[in-house]
Amino acid sequence: MENFIFSVNATLPLFLVILLGWYLNRIGMLTDGFCKAGNQYVFNVALPISLFLSIAKMDLYSDFDPFFCLFCFLSTTIFFLGIWAVTSLVMKDKTMVGAFSQAAARSSAAILGVALAVNIYGDSGMVPMMIVAAVPFFNIYAVLILSFSPHVDENGALLQEETANGMKAVKKACLNVLKNPIILGIVAGIPFALLKIPLPTLAVSTLNMVGGTASPVALLVVGASFSGGEALKKWKPAAVATFIKLFVLPAIFLPIAAALGFRNSQMVAILIMCGSPTTVACYIMAKNMKNDGVLTSNVVVLATLFSSVSITLWLFLLKNFALI
């Protein structure tokens, strides 16, 4: 019961902020103009700054466990690229491939991971190592998937110019990856982490304030942009992506982790990496990179809503088998 209450307290506020955004849009306070500007602000400013600061402040040398980090990196690579490959083959509507693949794979690891580990063990344990080894690649793989998947316009129609010239499209996608603000934020933070370069207090405070706006603004935008009619059309792929995110990935990777000898906070970190709800940043990236924003917002809402149940279930099973 304690873990269920914690899970509800961790995930329900996110859902309530989404609901607030929806309500404020319905009464005319959060307009379409706000949603467009909010999308661009989070994508180009707040989220890159948040990622830069997270990377720059990481201690890459404390309690470093190469085997655990390698497992997190390889698992991230397998489930991102694996979902993308399978989705590309079986999904009939190719305009949803990028959004579905990203949303089914990408977790809110950095948001929920440390909080959950502290709630169980009293400290963050191995969660920071998981964040170092996996979260940057969440963003990198998401950019790659969204860049190389079919792009759509504001109405969800396939952009013909994206498919007109194969090599030209590939070159354009590669250039977009290199120029992507998310990638630039991660790359900018790496030297500070590797060389242990301290950031001035004034800079940290300012960047914290700006980066801290990424999640709340994004949640409001998801709610304000939520369209009931469009959402109903895509509830089936959204439900499938949510099921993969919350149940299939943990069911595959938690037993592998247990067989490899990972225990306690390592298993909690791996659970968060695989089974925490789809991050709201997925919607911001999908929308700004010409992918299916409606499908992505549906997955964010569903995964956030049901994650309190799924995370509690996985914690119960891990405790029952004496893995945590």
Side-chain angles (χ1 to χ4, degrees):
M1 179 58 70
E2 181 181 348
N3 286 327
F4 177 73
I5 293 173
F6 171 81
S7 298
V8 170
N9 287 335
T11 57
L12 190 57
L14 305 179
F15 181 77
L16 292 177
V17 175
I18 292 174
L19 192 62
L20 175 63
W22 175 84
Y23 173 73
L24 293 177
N25 173 259
R26 293 303 175 272
I27 65 173
M29 186 175 294
L30 298 187
T31 63
D32 292 343
F34 168 85
C35 294
K36 184 175 181 180
N39 272 318
Q40 294 178 353
Y41 165 74
V42 174
F43 182 72
N44 291 296
V45 181
L47 190 55
I49 286 177
S50 176
L51 290 169
F52 163 77
L53 200 57
S54 296
I55 299 291
K57 291 166 60 180
M58 283 180 178
D59 186 352
L60 300 179
Y61 304 100
S62 177
D63 299 324
F64 182 68
D65 185 337
F67 183 52
F68 176 75
C69 288
L70 180 63
F71 176 83
C72 292
F73 165 71
L74 290 177
S75 299
T76 299
T77 303
I78 290 169
F79 63 68
F80 263 88
L81 300 186
I83 290 172
W84 186 26
V86 173
T87 303
S88 299
L89 289 174
V90 303
M91 182 166 277
K92 295 180 179 179
D93 187 348
K94 301 305 179 185
T95 64
M96 295 194 294
V97 168
F100 181 95
S101 301
Q102 181 203 201
R106 193 171 173 198
S107 301
S108 302
I111 296 175
L112 295 179
V114 173
L116 185 59
V118 170
N119 183 67
I120 297 174
Y121 294 107
D123 58 58
S124 58
M126 293 301 293
V127 171
M129 282 292 100
M130 178 273 291
I131 292 174
V132 170
V135 172
F137 294 98
F138 283 3
N139 295 281
I140 292 170
Y141 291 144
V143 171
L144 289 172
I145 288 171
L146 295 176
S147 296
F148 286 94
S149 296
H151 293 169
V152 297
D153 61 19
E154 290 292 329
N155 299 315
L158 182 66
L159 290 172
Q160 295 301 318
E161 61 268 24
E162 299 290 340
T163 58
N165 186 319
M167 281 305 299
K168 184 178 179 180
V170 170
K171 290 179 180 179
K172 182 179 179 181
C174 291
L175 184 62
N176 287 337
V177 169
L178 296 176
K179 295 191 302 181
N180 188 278
I182 308 300
I183 301 298
L184 294 178
I186 292 171
V187 171
I190 290 174
F192 288 87
L194 289 175
L195 302 176
K196 294 186 176 181
I197 301 172
L199 290 168
T201 302
L202 178 62
V204 172
S205 298
T206 304
L207 294 175
N208 265 325
M209 290 178 66
V210 177
T213 63
S215 290
V217 173
L219 289 167
L220 288 172
V221 169
V222 168
S225 305
F226 193 79
S227 171
E230 290 297 316
L232 288 175
K233 296 177 183 177
K234 298 183 179 180
W235 73 269
K236 288 184 179 179
V240 172
T242 300
F243 182 73
I244 292 172
K245 181 77 218 60
L246 300 182
F247 296 100
V248 175
L249 293 183
I252 293 173
F253 288 96
L254 287 176
I256 295 174
L260 292 174
F262 295 121
R263 295 292 185 273
N264 300 320
S265 66
Q266 293 173 325
M267 291 298 290
V268 172
I270 293 167
L271 168 60
I272 293 300
M273 179 184 72
C274 299
S276 61
T278 302
T279 176
V280 68
C282 282
Y283 171 78
I284 299 297
M285 290 179 63
K287 194 72 174 176
N288 281 273
M289 296 180 68
K290 299 179 181 179
N291 277 254
D292 195 326
V294 174
L295 173 60
T296 309
S297 67
N298 287 1
V299 180
V300 170
V301 171
L302 285 175
T304 301
L305 184 60
F306 289 105
S307 61
S308 58
V309 176
S310 64
I311 290 175
T312 304
L313 171 64
W314 289 118
L315 287 174
F316 171 79
L317 291 174
L318 291 175
K319 282 189 174 184
N320 193 51
F321 287 98
L323 295 174
I324 61 174

